[in-house]
Amino acid sequence: MTDRRIVKSEKAIQSAFLAMLLDVGFDAITVKGLTEKADISRKTFYLHYLDKYDLLNGIVDEMIRELTDLCEKKKDMGFVDGTVLWFYYFEEHKPFFTALFSTESTISFRHRLLDFIMEQLNNKLEGVSEHRDTEVLCKFMAMAVLGVIESYVLDQFHVGIEEIAMQVGELLEQIIIQAKGE
């Protein structure tokens, strides 16, 4: 059983971090500022995290776990409906992703998200002809999805999330069907 004080401290740290991430951006966050906003001591912060990068990695790990769970849930859905559900996750966490995509220091997050998307797409590419290397195809689709998600969270589209997600789902489905030769 987890000590409630530990959970309370971690929630305070993460809440303060997310608020500061949205308010001042990742680069401007300091441990001192974070501990003041969370109303904890620096010692308490360092009991939980090595630095702000470790804290960010912990939050990103949790989001990747949530996305993995979501991918499990959408397996029974059609490809397009599953993509719509996936995009709604990004809608729900849009401020967080906006802050991450607009900060150069968080490039490792972008790489981790790209790797996750590639892993999910690789699962969809099972059954593609053995004569075809899927590495380029998978990277192409993953970069496209990541680019669309980034453009969405940075408000670069003039259509709603469902329209974007449906188009992405339809395009991915067409590419995968073509690659499988169906």
Side-chain angles (χ1 to χ4, degrees):
M1 187 163 111
T2 306
D3 187 332
R4 289 185 355 205
R5 292 173 296 176
I6 292 171
V7 172
K8 183 178 176 186
S9 294
E10 285 181 354
K11 280 187 179 185
I13 293 166
Q14 290 181 6
S15 292
F17 177 78
L18 292 174
M20 291 179 75
L21 185 65
L22 299 174
D23 189 37
V24 300
F26 183 79
D27 294 328
I29 295 174
T30 63
V31 172
K32 182 178 189 256
L34 189 56
T35 57
E36 288 172 0
K37 184 156 186 78
D39 196 25
I40 60 167
S41 70
R42 289 171 63 96
K43 180 181 177 186
T44 299
F45 176 86
Y46 288 116
L47 284 173
H48 297 275
Y49 303 100
L50 299 172
D51 53 25
K52 69 180 185 178
Y53 296 96
D54 186 40
L55 170 57
L56 175 63
N57 280 331
I59 293 170
V60 170
D61 286 345
E62 179 58 30
M63 293 196 139
I64 296 291
R65 276 191 294 277
E66 289 174 5
L67 281 168
T68 301
D69 291 345
L70 188 62
C71 287
E72 283 297 313
K73 288 178 188 171
K74 72 183 190 95
K75 279 185 178 178
D76 298 332
M77 304 174 113
F79 198 84
V80 174
D81 289 338
T83 303
V84 170
L85 179 65
W86 208 66
F87 267 74
Y88 272 118
Y89 178 85
F90 290 94
E91 167 76 11
E92 184 181 333
H93 298 80
K94 187 177 177 181
F96 174 75
F97 288 107
T98 300
L100 287 182
F101 281 130
S102 58
T103 303
E104 285 299 315
S105 298
T106 56
I107 196 74
S108 66
F109 159 75
R110 198 172 198 283
H111 290 298
R112 288 183 61 202
L113 185 55
L114 179 64
D115 289 344
F116 176 78
I117 294 169
M118 286 181 64
E119 180 183 317
Q120 296 304 312
L121 288 169
N122 259 328
N123 294 337
K124 300 290 184 192
L125 289 170
E126 286 179 7
V128 169
S129 170
E130 293 156 10
H131 304 298
R132 177 178 231 157
D133 184 0
T134 59
E135 183 180 18
V136 172
L137 180 60
C138 186
K139 184 75 159 203
F140 173 80
M141 291 189 303
M143 291 296 290
V145 170
L146 184 62
V148 170
I149 290 170
E150 183 174 355
S151 292
Y152 169 72
V153 300
L154 296 176
D155 291 322
Q156 297 172 345
F157 287 118
H158 302 293
V159 295
I161 185 72
E162 193 152 337
E163 175 65 24
I164 296 165
M166 287 180 68
Q167 284 186 41
V168 169
E170 290 167 1
L171 290 167
L172 290 174
E173 187 173 46
Q174 289 171 11
I175 292 168
I176 291 169
I177 288 170
Q178 185 178 4
K180 289 182 176 182
E182 295 176 6

